[in-house]
Every structure is written in structure tokens, then in C-alpha cells.
Amino acid sequence: MDYFSSDFKLGILGGGQLGKMLLYETRKWDIYTKVMDASPQAPCKIACNEFVLGDLMDFDAVLAFGKDVDVLTIEIENVNVDALEKLEEEGVKVYPPPKALRTIQNKAQQKLFYVDNNIPTANFSRFAYASEIKDSVENGGLEFPFVWKSAQFGYDGQGVKIVRKTDDLDGLPPGECITEKMVDFKNELAVIVAKSSSGEVKTYPVVEMEFHPEANQVEYVICPARIDEKVAQKAQQVALKVSEHIGHVGLLAVELFQTLDDTILVNEVAPRPHNSGHYSIEASYTNQFEQHIRAILGLPLGKTDSKVAGVMVNLVGAEGHQGDVVYENIQEILAMEGVTPHIYGKKQTRPFRKMGHVTIVNQNMGKAREMAQKVKEKISVISK
Amino acid sequence: MDYFSSDFKLGILGGGQLGKMLLYETRKWDIYTKVMDASPQAPCKIACNEFVLGDLMDFDAVLAFGKDVDVLTIEIENVNVDALEKLEEEGVKVYPPPKALRTIQNKAQQKLFYVDNNIPTANFSRFAYASEIKDSVENGGLEFPFVWKSAQFGYDGQGVKIVRKTDDLDGLPPGECITEKMVDFKNELAVIVAKSSSGEVKTYPVVEMEFHPEANQVEYVICPARIDEKVAQKAQQVALKVSEHIGHVGLLAVELFQTLDDTILVNEVAPRPHNSGHYSIEASYTNQFEQHIRAILGLPLGKTDSKVAGVMVNLVGAEGHQGDVVYENIQEILAMEGVTPHIYGKKQTRPFRKMGHVTIVNQNMGKAREMAQKVKEKISVISK
């Protein structure tokens, strides 16, 4: 099919910042797009060709949305997979495939998938109800501290909690969940794997992530990771193994732990462009959004190497601020060389909400990392 | 003013490919935009916040369009300057300033400006009517060959003709024009100067242009130009001199000739993002479109250096093809490393129409230039 000059239509479920950045690429190639999101203020509302207001978890809404598109993709995992399966049966190319999405959507299923395929991951227990956790602790089946994760619909650090004592169990949502052994790690890493519908596979360099301890959100993403080459190779091999078995098409972002003894464990995966790949817009030969489009359209994959070292800083809403957003000191960071802010266009800020990101690129990694620190110190996302 | 989170509104006159690429940047920074263009199929119609159908040369249309914007810019010079002057009087920030635009819009005025300011340019004659050229030739005031240029509204090689004999004068538009001495040159060069409303000035590296001999359109733009460092410095100095005297704000693309004896002559200028700067999207720390936005908003200018060598190939409609466009072999060029096509989204092709461009980046300039040749040979813009 000739995507560049025909009646081809690409559907995107979700109209947030990832969708918005995907739309830069569809605009660049003049690919016709149709986006669905539940919010009339969705960042994607402009720049797509058609915008549909609708609930991504609603079977009928997703089914109706997908009927007239040729290829359907997502920018968020929390979508109605039953509708995607139906659309796939009806001949729509759904990437990531519903089967892979189902495995990923439920964290318990995801963990079982790792075990079934002999992919290294932290030990875990599965609970149909959160109330069962307390029993397990009491009868010695589970030891503090551990990580609680909701099986469904975690996003941006929601649905994850570190449990250090019995009191921490109070107030957890009642539903299906897993608990994971706390991993002592040197680094959190990520590898983005691109797989095209024609079967071509490429990996991006391993990136290193620094998390904000309270918000459980990434604070810096550093590409390439400042790790031993052997560890980087191992991380890429593990990511490729996940990619191979999970049956995705498009991007797969694989988050990993590098443990104290340099074992690589899979933390979790996302079958789409990912925060850990935002640096690629400024640093890579082919950015992750263009790569996702290439992959789902079956076009040749682009070069994943970097032109320069890149560090990405998330712009999240400051604590104590809620309301109309102001990007304090953005002019100061614009005066720094190789610094590019991205503003997602959400009008309201709240603590830890992802409002944008800033990429810092430099020929020298040390310099880029140093500047990222300054960017982080200068800019803040506050309310008016 | 806080452009990133307030009621600020940016107006753009013209909704073609340059406007479309400007909109990537306003989207990146969530800047509210309003665009006017005469065509309902304008590439800018989506991705701006408001689109207004209107004739850019119509006083009332431009005046009405500009009344509610805070900053007004252009993506094409052929706009009604009287309306811009009125808007400026009323307090709208118009960049480039109408005065500079008036000088540039009329090629005779532009040439007089160079002479008045002692800026080197090819010798020329000015004619109120094209019919006067014949008289001048007959009485020995003008010698073949020379270049005829319409004083008003040249674009994409229209309004320019090489005149080698009397017959070539037949069929020229009757209006005001200039004739220029043919320059024997080694290279055609260009320098983009950015000047912010707060007075900051930066230049991009000198680029080298190869023109298609018949279409009089750029075929390759090569950054950095493969010229002597001294010549590059001279080219930058001349460009800065033009910038200083012409009173622009925003980008100024200065096209230059490097003559056989390494004299630098100004050919012509454009007060906006320019074809000779498209390479910057993939190759530069700050692309020309972001830089134009920075400049007209009075934000700090970004770094103009390149991360990698870049070569840009224009995608123009093939001869003998008119109608619904097809980008033949685009998949083959997508398979080449560091190659990024941009499709402007014009649905109909015609001979020499600018339909897109392709950027080729590489650490090695020789390799980039070699690949550009292959890109040029492979892809063609044809009709169905």
C-alpha cells in the first residue's frame, strides 16, 4: 500500500503526549490519521486529520472507531482489547497485536509470560485480591519489604507501592495484584526494540534511568547508559528475547534492572513509544516515533544509533501546585546550548503530572549530564 | 509574555510547507497559532489552532486576520505590506517588519538597498516595463547574455529567465523588472542569519547549493559548504552586513555567489525559514524553524552548529507528470541509513513543483553527498 499518497488511514487510540509526538511524524510524511481520546482537551486534538471523542475502554467505541482504518495502533495500553480482537478478525491490522497487548496489560500475566519463556525477572507472587496479601505475610509466605503492583492499569507510578510494614497495606485498591521482591540494583536500564510488520528487528542503545524516589517517575534518561559494554550487550539480548516471544509489532520498550552482581532482570514492558526513548528526537538518526510508524507500516526500519549523547529530563508538576500551568524559568534553559524543551500542552498542572520533557544533547556525555542537572534545578512546573 | 502557558496567539501568513514545518515547533512548545492561506488544501490546515481562508495580497483580509494576534509572521513574502504596516501601527508585533519586507518584496528595491549600503551584488539595470529592455539592448546599454527578473513576486524559479538572444525577450511579463549581469561563479552559497526581537544575532554555517539547470531550483543543499574557511568567513560577514542594514527580525536567508576570484556577491534574500535551511531539522542543534520562533518571540537563540554533515535533496515533480502524486521508490530510500523524507502533503504534482525534500545525514560529508546522489537517482515524484 502507498501510505504517502493514497486513501490510507492510520488510527491511534489515545490522544496524549505520545500520540502528539507520533503526529509530528505522520505530518512529516503526510499520513492520514484518526485519533480517539476521552478528553476534549487531548494534546492530539489538533494535528490529526480526524478526532473522535470516546472512551478507550469501551468496546463499542473502540470497535466503531477502528472500522474504517487500515492500521490501528495505540499510545497507551489501557484500551479495550476485545474490540481490538474483533477488529483484527475483520481485517484491520492492529499493532501491537491484541494478543501481545493482553499479556502486557495485566501485570500478573506479564510476569507469568516471563516465567514461561525463561526470561529473567524478579520473584513475585500473584493475588486475586489485595486482602490475601496480609494472610500471606502473616503465614510467612511474604516478607517485608516488597513492591505491590496493581495487575491492571498502572500508569505514571500509579498502581505501584513499596510496602515496608503492615500499615502500608492499608488503603491499597482491593483488586488483582502482584507483589515483587525488592531488587537491589545498580541501575535501571531500558532498551527499545523495534519490530516491523515485515519482521525486521532493530534495537536502540541501552539507556540508563534515574527515578525520582517519591513519585516513582523517571527523572533522567541517559543515552547511552554509562555501563560496561558486556552488561549493555546482555541487556540488549534480554530485550530481544522478550521481543521475540511476546509477538509485538511496533516498538517494545523493555525496562530492566542491572542487579548488584550484573544480572539483568526484566521489570516491565510497554508496546509503544516510551518515555525512555524521548531523547531520540534530538539525539538519534531515527527517533522512536518515526520508528514506530515505520514498523507498523512495514517500512524499512531506520538507523537507531545516536548522533550525539542525550539526556532527557521529565517536566513534572511541582508538589504543592495545582491549576493553570506556568513553566518557570523556561527562558533560562532555552539560553543553554543543545537544550530543547517539549511542552505537552496540558493546561492544568498537578503534583507529579507529566507536563513535558527537556532533552539535552552534547558531543560529550559528561557535559550533557551536567547540563541536565542545571536544567532540572532551574525549571519548575508550577501553577499561576 | 509567557508564550508557553497563556493566551498568546501567533499569526502566520501563508499555509504552505514552510508554515507546516513551523507548526512542528509551535506544537512542540504548545504555542497557539492562527494561519491564513488562500487554499483550502493548504498543508497547514491541520496542526494550527485556527485556519482562515484568505488572500494574502488582500488588504482587508490581512488586516482582519492580524487584529487579534500578538505576533505576526510570514512563510512567504508575497503578502499585503500595507496591511502589515497598519497592524504594526496598531501594536501587533510584525516580524519581519513591514519596512524590511517592502525592500525585499521588490527585487529592484532590494538591489538598490545593496548598492546604498555598499553590499556587493551583481551589476544590474532597472526597467519600469519589460519593453524597455529591447531598447536598451539595441542602443548598446545591455549585452547578452543576462538574467531577467520580475521585480515582484518571483517564487520557485518563476519570474527569472536567462536571456541569451533577442527572441528570448518574447513573452516576458510586461511589468517592472531588473536585468542582471550573468555572474561566473564557482559556487552558490547561502547563510541563514537569525536575529531576535531582543537584538541577539547568530549565523548558521555556510551551505553550498547545486541548482537544477533548467528548473532554476535547488537540487542539493550541502552543509557545511565544501569551501575554504576564509571564503566561508567572508560569506558570513557579507550575510551579517545585509542582516544589520535590512532591519529584519526572525530569520534572513542570504543567497550568495562565490565568483571565480572568490568575491562574494549577494544574490537575493528571504526574511523567513528557507529551503537552504531544511537540512537543519536533522543536522543542527537548533533547526531553522525553531530558531525563527525563538527569534520572533524574543527568546534566546539556539545553537546553530551541526551535529552531523547534512545534504538536502528537493523532491520536485518530474517532467511529464501532472495529477495525483506518487512518490516512486520511497521505500528504497527509507532503507538507506540516515535518510529522512519530508512529504509536504500537496495532493497534485506538476513539473518542478516542490513536493517535499529528503535530508541525508552522516558523520562523514563525502558519504552523505554520495548517498544524496543515490536518493536523487532512486526516488521520483510522478503522477498515478
Side-chain angles (χ1 to χ4, degrees), chain A residues 15 45-46 54 71 73 87 93 132 145 185 225 275 296 311 325 343:
Chain A
K45 196 167 178 190
I46 64 171
V71 173
T73 192
L87 287 165
K93 290 175 181 166
E132 297 172 2
F185 57 82
N275 194 261
I296 64 176
V311 179
V325 65
I343 305 296

Side-chain angles (χ1 to χ4, degrees), chain A residues 5 20 24 27-30 43 46 282 294 299-300 303 307 325 330-331 334 339 341-343 345 347, chain B residues 4-5 20 24 27-30 43 46 282 294 300 307 325 331 334 337 339 341-343 345 347:
Chain A
S5 52
K20 180 184 165 187
Y24 298 157
R27 292 282 294 140
K28 187 166 86 185
W29 288 350
D30 195 41
I46 64 171
E282 285 80 15
R294 286 176 179 247
L299 296 168
K303 183 175 176 174
K307 299 168 190 165
V325 65
I330 191 165
Q331 300 220 11
L334 282 169
V339 170
H342 290 252
I343 305 296
K347 301 304 175 197
Chain B
F4 303 96
S5 51
K20 180 184 165 185
Y24 298 158
R27 291 283 293 141
K28 186 167 88 185
W29 288 350
D30 194 41
I46 63 170
E282 284 80 14
R294 286 175 180 249
K307 299 168 190 165
V325 65
Q331 300 221 9
L334 283 169
E337 292 202 336
V339 170
H342 291 252
I343 305 297
K347 302 304 176 197

Side-chain angles (χ1 to χ4, degrees), chain A residues 18 22 74-75 192 251 253 270-275 278 288-289 292:
Chain A
L18 298 175
L22 271 175
I74 58 161
E75 61 112 49
I192 292 177
L251 299 188
R272 52 163 170 80
H274 189 255
N275 194 261
H278 288 351
Q288 66 165 344
F289 301 97
H292 187 69

Side-chain angles (χ1 to χ4, degrees), chain A residues 325-339:
Chain A
V325 65
V326 176
Y327 302 91
E328 199 175 49
N329 296 331
I330 191 165
Q331 300 220 11
E332 278 81 346
I333 72 161
L334 282 169
M336 296 164 69
E337 292 202 335
V339 170

Side-chain angles (χ1 to χ4, degrees), chain A residues 100-379:
Chain A
L101 200 49
R102 215 182 265 289
T103 304
I104 291 165
Q105 229 181 31
N106 183 296
K107 282 191 182 150
Q109 298 288 342
Q110 203 184 123
K111 291 294 275 190
L112 291 172
F113 159 80
Y114 299 137
V115 172
D116 288 349
N117 291 282
N118 206 19
I119 290 163
T121 191
N123 288 334
F124 74 104
S125 304
R126 190 181 176 190
F127 299 94
Y129 303 98
S131 57
E132 297 172 2
I133 298 176
K134 207 172 258 184
D135 303 338
S136 189
V137 169
E138 280 166 7
N139 67 30
L142 202 59
E143 276 176 32
F144 296 121
F146 57 83
V147 183
W148 165 90
K149 291 182 177 178
S150 169
Q152 301 268 8
F153 312 128
Y155 186 64
D156 272 8
Q158 290 161 24
V160 178
K161 190 177 179 183
I162 295 172
V163 180
R164 298 180 192 281
K165 53 188 192 300
T166 309
D167 286 358
D168 292 343
L169 292 168
D170 295 344
L172 286 182
E176 188 189 1
C177 57
I178 59 169
T179 61
E180 265 183 352
K181 195 172 177 305
M182 292 273 283
V183 175
D184 281 331
F185 57 82
K186 282 185 196 167
N187 283 303
E188 295 200 60
L189 307 173
V191 175
I192 292 177
V193 183
K195 183 173 185 178
S196 83
S197 61
S198 61
E200 192 185 359
V201 176
K202 284 197 179 176
T203 58
Y204 277 84
V206 182
V207 302
E208 182 190 335
M209 302 190 287
E210 286 183 41
F211 275 69
H212 186 288
E214 287 161 54
N216 197 35
Q217 283 183 325
V218 179
E219 212 171 13
Y220 299 103
V221 173
I222 299 165
C223 179
R226 298 162 300 177
I227 55 171
D228 192 84
E229 180 53 29
K230 273 189 192 162
V231 176
Q233 281 176 14
K234 207 191 293 181
Q236 292 212 326
Q237 281 159 10
V238 171
L240 281 169
K241 190 171 180 185
V242 179
S243 164
E244 194 185 318
H245 286 95
I246 215 160
H248 72 109
V249 167
L251 299 188
L252 186 77
V254 184
E255 296 186 40
L256 305 158
F257 296 116
Q258 175 191 0
T259 66
L260 300 183
D261 65 351
D262 288 341
T263 301
I264 297 293
L265 300 177
V266 175
N267 179 14
E268 57 184 52
V269 301
R272 52 163 170 80
H274 189 255
N275 194 261
S276 66
H278 288 351
Y279 78 90
S280 65
I281 296 177
E282 285 80 15
S284 304
Y285 282 91
T286 310
N287 76 57
Q288 66 165 344
F289 301 97
E290 179 181 323
Q291 195 76 294
H292 187 69
I293 300 289
R294 286 176 179 247
I296 64 176
L297 300 190
L299 296 168
L301 296 179
K303 183 175 176 174
T304 54
D305 296 359
S306 292
K307 299 168 190 165
V308 281
V311 179
M312 192 276 300
V313 175
N314 278 316
L315 290 181
V316 300
E319 284 187 273
H321 286 270
Q322 183 131 5
D324 291 349
V325 65
V326 176
Y327 302 91
E328 199 175 49
N329 296 331
I330 191 165
Q331 300 220 11
E332 278 81 346
I333 72 161
L334 282 169
M336 296 164 69
E337 292 202 335
V339 170
T340 307
H342 290 252
I343 305 296
Y344 298 153
K346 301 170 185 175
K347 301 304 175 197
Q348 303 284 312
T349 185
R350 55 173 186 263
F352 304 119
R353 188 176 194 197
K354 278 190 189 159
M355 300 299 286
H357 74 264
V358 183
T359 308
I360 299 94
V361 293
N362 200 287
Q363 295 290 350
N364 179 283
M365 167 55 84
K367 180 79 184 153
R369 180 60 188 76
E370 198 183 302
M371 287 175 70
Q373 183 87 35
K374 285 186 189 152
V375 164
K376 185 87 195 164
E377 285 162 10
K378 277 236 184 285
I379 195 165

Side-chain angles (χ1 to χ4, degrees), chain B residues 27-223:
Chain B
R27 291 283 293 141
K28 186 167 88 185
W29 288 350
D30 194 41
I31 291 168
Y32 190 100
T33 50
K34 182 180 172 187
V35 174
M36 182 159 93
D37 196 276
S39 168
Q41 275 90 43
C44 281
K45 197 168 177 189
I46 63 170
C48 61
N49 297 80
E50 287 178 54
F51 182 78
V52 176
L53 255 189
D55 179 351
L56 302 175
M57 291 306 298
D58 184 84
F59 178 88
D60 294 327
V62 172
L63 188 64
F65 174 82
K67 285 216 179 263
D68 71 338
V69 306
D70 299 284
V71 173
L72 183 57
T73 193
I74 58 160
E75 61 111 47
I76 184 168
E77 290 88 288
N78 302 337
V79 300
N80 189 296
V81 181
D82 294 335
L84 295 186
E85 276 176 345
K86 184 101 176 104
L87 288 165
E88 196 179 46
E89 278 168 33
E90 291 179 7
V92 176
K93 290 176 182 164
V94 182
Y95 301 133
K99 192 163 165 286
L101 200 49
R102 216 180 265 291
T103 304
I104 291 164
Q105 229 181 30
N106 183 296
K107 282 190 183 151
Q109 298 287 342
Q110 203 185 121
K111 292 294 276 190
L112 290 172
F113 159 80
Y114 299 136
V115 173
D116 289 350
N117 291 283
N118 207 19
I119 291 163
T121 190
N123 287 334
F124 74 105
S125 304
R126 189 183 176 190
F127 299 94
Y129 303 98
S131 56
E132 296 171 3
I133 298 176
K134 209 172 257 182
D135 302 341
S136 189
V137 168
E138 280 165 9
N139 65 32
L142 202 60
E143 275 177 32
F144 296 122
F146 57 82
V147 183
W148 165 89
K149 291 183 178 178
S150 168
Q152 301 268 8
F153 312 129
Y155 186 65
D156 272 7
Q158 291 161 23
V160 178
K161 189 177 180 183
I162 295 172
V163 179
R164 299 181 193 280
K165 53 186 192 302
T166 308
D167 287 359
D168 292 344
L169 292 168
D170 296 344
L172 286 181
E176 188 190 0
C177 58
I178 59 169
T179 62
E180 266 184 350
K181 194 171 178 306
M182 291 272 284
V183 175
D184 280 332
F185 57 82
K186 283 183 197 170
N187 282 305
E188 295 200 60
L189 307 173
V191 175
I192 292 177
V193 183
K195 184 173 184 178
S196 84
S197 61
S198 60
E200 191 185 1
V201 176
K202 284 196 180 178
T203 58
Y204 278 84
V206 182
V207 301
E208 182 190 337
M209 302 190 288
E210 286 183 41
F211 275 69
H212 185 288
E214 288 160 53
N216 196 38
Q217 284 183 325
V218 179
E219 212 171 11
Y220 299 102
V221 173
I222 299 165
C223 179

